[in-house]
């Protein structure tokens, strides 16, 4: 069993829909990251959070430490949001090495 | 700033050949990482470095070697390539005290 699990693996939405991607982890972490991988392959960091909630534009990330669960929400989705979204955990005591989920492939259609 | 760059972008090798992938960063970051990405699997750490002259093994180090002779460069070597090393390789860097990793554009390697 992976230490970081994401769901769903694939997601198709229509433009304007509210999207939620989930991430669960089974070990102690110092931080939880959300990254975006563009269709061309480049990876960028979206959020790093250790508690609560963060918002950037139409993206919102939340984390519940007690439940070992994080969510990434996209409001008013747009075709340019189509990408793979990756959850990664900085495990406690691992010199900030990241353990990655397998990613959620999102396609937003018109 | 160029950020994190990787050379080459694409490469095809025959089984048994050797090659070196170069990662360079201009952000003066101490930490550098090499990952591989395979279909259906998350990014997996191959080797990493916490500073110039240091390297350490990650999750999947077998078949790879690394060197960090200069702070800005992190080299990943394949001494005798195998088809199982067909993958997309990503380099990343991070500053001391920071959590965010900055990724290079990736190198797509095919071993036939």
């Amino acid at each position: 069993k992976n230490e970081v699990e994401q769901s769903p693996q694939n997601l198709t939405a229509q433009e304007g829909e509210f999207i939620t991607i989930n991430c669960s982890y089974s070990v102690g972490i110092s931080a939880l990251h959300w990254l975006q991988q563009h269709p061309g392959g480049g990876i960028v960091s979206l959020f790093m959070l250790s508690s609560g909630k963060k918002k950037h534009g139409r993206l919102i990330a939340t984390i519940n430490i007690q439940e070992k669960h994080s969510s990434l929400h996209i409001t008013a989705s747009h075709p340019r949001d189509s990408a793979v979204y990756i959850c990664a955990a900085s495990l406690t005591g691992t010199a900030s090495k990241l353990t990655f989920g397998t990613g959620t492939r999102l396609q937003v259609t018109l | 700033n160029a950020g994190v760059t990787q050379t080459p972008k694409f490469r095809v090798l025959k089984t048994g050949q050797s090659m070196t992938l170069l990662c360079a960063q201009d952000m003066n970051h101490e930490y550098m990482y090499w990952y591989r990405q395979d279909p259906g699997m998350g990014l997996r750490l191959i080797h990493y470095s916490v500073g110039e002259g240091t390297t350490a093994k990650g999750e999947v180090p077998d078949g790879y070697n690394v060197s960090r002779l200069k702070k800005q460069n992190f080299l990943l070597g394949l001494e005798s390539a195998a088809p199982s090393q067909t993958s997309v390789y990503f380099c990343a860097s991070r500053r001391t005290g920071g959590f965010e990793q900055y990724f290079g554009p990736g190198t797509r390697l095919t071993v036939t």
Side-chain angles (χ1 to χ4, degrees), chain B residues 25 32 51-53 67-75:
Chain B
Q25 52 93 6
M32 296 187 75
E52 181 180 318
S67 64
R68 183 103 181 265
L69 298 179
K70 293 183 179 180
K71 186 178 184 179
Q72 64 268 33
N73 296 338
F74 195 28
L75 279 64

Side-chain angles (χ1 to χ4, degrees), chain B residues 37-74:
Chain B
Q37 186 178 44
D38 301 295
M41 304 185 77
L43 287 151
R44 292 182 293 168
L45 182 64
I46 304 171
H47 286 279
Y48 66 101
S49 168
V50 301
E52 181 180 318
T54 74
T55 62
K57 292 180 181 179
E59 184 185 351
V60 288
D62 294 342
Y64 305 95
N65 57 74
V66 287
S67 64
R68 183 103 181 265
L69 298 179
K70 293 183 179 180
K71 186 178 184 179
Q72 64 268 33
N73 296 338
F74 195 28

Side-chain angles (χ1 to χ4, degrees), chain B residues 97-112:
Chain B
F99 282 99
E100 183 178 355
Q101 292 190 17
Y102 295 81
F103 286 81
T107 295
R108 185 172 293 275
L109 174 66
T110 301
V111 183
T112 61

Side-chain angles (χ1 to χ4, degrees), chain A residues 1-6 24-27 68 99-100, chain B residues 59:
Chain A
K1 187 181 185 322
N2 290 339
E3 291 166 317
V4 178
E5 299 270 0
Q6 282 185 244
S24 299
Y25 52 94
S26 56
V27 293
K68 291 186 165 59
T99 299
F100 293 83
Chain B
E59 184 185 351

Side-chain angles (χ1 to χ4, degrees), chain A residues 38-71:
Chain A
H38 300 291
I43 300 172
V44 295
S45 290
L46 297 175
F47 295 103
M48 186 280 293
L49 64 167
S50 53
S51 64
K53 174 179 169 179
K54 286 191 175 180
K55 185 175 188 289
H56 185 256
R58 295 179 295 105
L59 300 178
I60 303 166
T62 64
I63 188 168
N64 185 318
I65 299 295
Q66 286 73 29
E67 294 186 5
K68 291 186 165 59
H69 181 268
S70 177
S71 293

